[in-house]
Amino acid sequence: MSALFIADLHLSDHCPENTRAFLDLLAGLAREVDALYILGDLFEYWAGDDDRDTPLNREVGEALATLAAQGTRIGFIAGNRDFLVGEDFARDAGLNILADPTVLDLDGRRVLVTHGDNLCTDDHAYQAFRHQVRAPQWQRAFLARPLEERKLMIEGLRRHSETAKQEKALDIMDVNSAAVDALLRAHDYPTLIHGHTHRPAHHIHHVDGLACERWVLSDWRGTATWLHWDGAAFSPGP
């Protein structure tokens, strides 16, 4: 089989270049592969599925649905910006929501996919926030608020997050090597693919005497970027 892996598009009205690049990918290269895996932060934010009819969200959802109808399987793992994507949007867009992490079988090769924020364990403040907002009780209470109130709250959280980033050491916002090793060990030493850190790279982790690959996906900055599996090997693109 063949597959594309992407993450951290941060689609929004403020960056139409990313949206155009994504729509072009869905209409082009994504039709040539068996599966497309979106590993989080497809959107800059997601206030709830009742916001899926904005022009941007509707256009993206319809393009995804078209791709799915043409036979490309689409897997989606929520990121730290769009963890409120729910079953309604997934059904309309043809997405299969995957657990974070999920093990895939690519032609007999075991591949572990995750957004990656769960590996940034040195950032204790962020991990506490992540634990809070991923709790079903918190999400139910948040989604019960009026949509416009939710959007205002999200904007406030985004501003706070950007301010907090300026005060943190860069290494704190990267993955923790011990956390990566533990995840690889827990899943029997697969290849690991993730995004979140915006630090695209190819790493080799030596865990318990075994060499494990880790691919870090790039964020999008006006152009599409991906990791391609051709049935035998991975290659970053374009």
Side-chain angles (χ1 to χ4, degrees):
M1 67 170 292
S2 56
L4 290 177
F5 298 83
I6 60 175
D8 301 296
L9 286 67
H10 296 274
L11 300 181
S12 74
D13 292 327
H14 300 295
C15 188
E17 296 86 359
N18 280 2
T19 303
R20 177 47 52 196
F22 183 53
L23 296 176
D24 289 346
L25 181 73
L26 297 184
L29 183 59
R31 296 187 181 186
E32 302 174 11
V33 296
D34 298 303
L36 171 68
Y37 293 101
I38 305 170
L39 305 188
D41 287 0
L42 172 61
F43 297 98
E44 174 67 9
Y45 75 90
W46 190 262
D49 283 4
D50 52 342
D51 195 32
R52 66 186 185 278
D53 286 329
T54 65
L56 170 66
N57 295 346
R58 184 170 59 251
E59 185 176 27
V60 170
E62 289 174 352
L64 285 165
T66 297
L67 178 67
Q70 292 172 342
T72 299
R73 299 190 302 277
I74 308 173
F76 174 80
I77 285 181
N80 54 294
R81 300 295 187 115
D82 51 14
F83 57 85
L84 290 174
V85 166
E87 293 296 338
D88 289 343
F89 177 75
R91 181 190 62 249
D92 292 349
L95 301 181
N96 299 301
I97 296 180
L98 306 177
D100 187 359
T102 286
V103 176
L104 307 173
D105 183 344
L106 300 183
D107 302 289
R109 182 166 181 169
R110 298 177 68 258
V111 175
L112 183 66
V113 290
T114 179
H115 177 56
D117 59 335
N118 56 323
L119 298 171
C120 300
T121 56
D122 292 327
D123 191 342
H124 303 298
Y126 171 74
Q127 292 301 324
F129 172 77
R130 185 182 189 275
H131 178 75
Q132 176 189 15
V133 300
R134 294 301 182 103
Q137 183 178 2
W138 184 94
Q139 293 187 8
R140 285 194 298 269
F142 182 78
L143 291 172
R145 297 174 179 269
L147 177 59
E148 291 307 315
E149 181 180 342
R150 277 179 265 150
K151 288 185 174 182
L152 288 173
M153 293 176 65
I154 289 171
E155 185 58 35
L157 289 171
R158 289 170 62 202
R159 289 197 300 268
H160 175 74
S161 175
E162 291 303 316
T163 300
K165 285 180 182 178
Q166 304 303 318
E167 301 172 354
K168 294 178 181 178
L170 290 178
D171 288 348
I172 289 178
M173 294 183 285
D174 200 358
V175 300
N176 176 282
S177 293
V180 171
D181 290 353
L183 186 66
L184 292 169
R185 182 179 296 112
H187 291 87
D188 200 23
Y189 315 102
T191 294
L192 175 62
I193 303 175
H194 71 84
H196 180 65
T197 63
H198 301 187
R199 299 181 181 188
H202 177 223
H203 303 276
I204 301 296
H205 288 258
H206 296 277
V207 186
D208 303 333
L210 299 173
C212 302
E213 286 187 279
R214 176 168 68 95
W215 290 92
V216 186
L217 303 177
S218 175
D219 58 319
W220 287 29
R221 303 180 185 182
T223 58
T225 180
W226 59 80
L227 183 67
H228 181 239
W229 168 257
D230 65 5
F234 289 104
S235 59

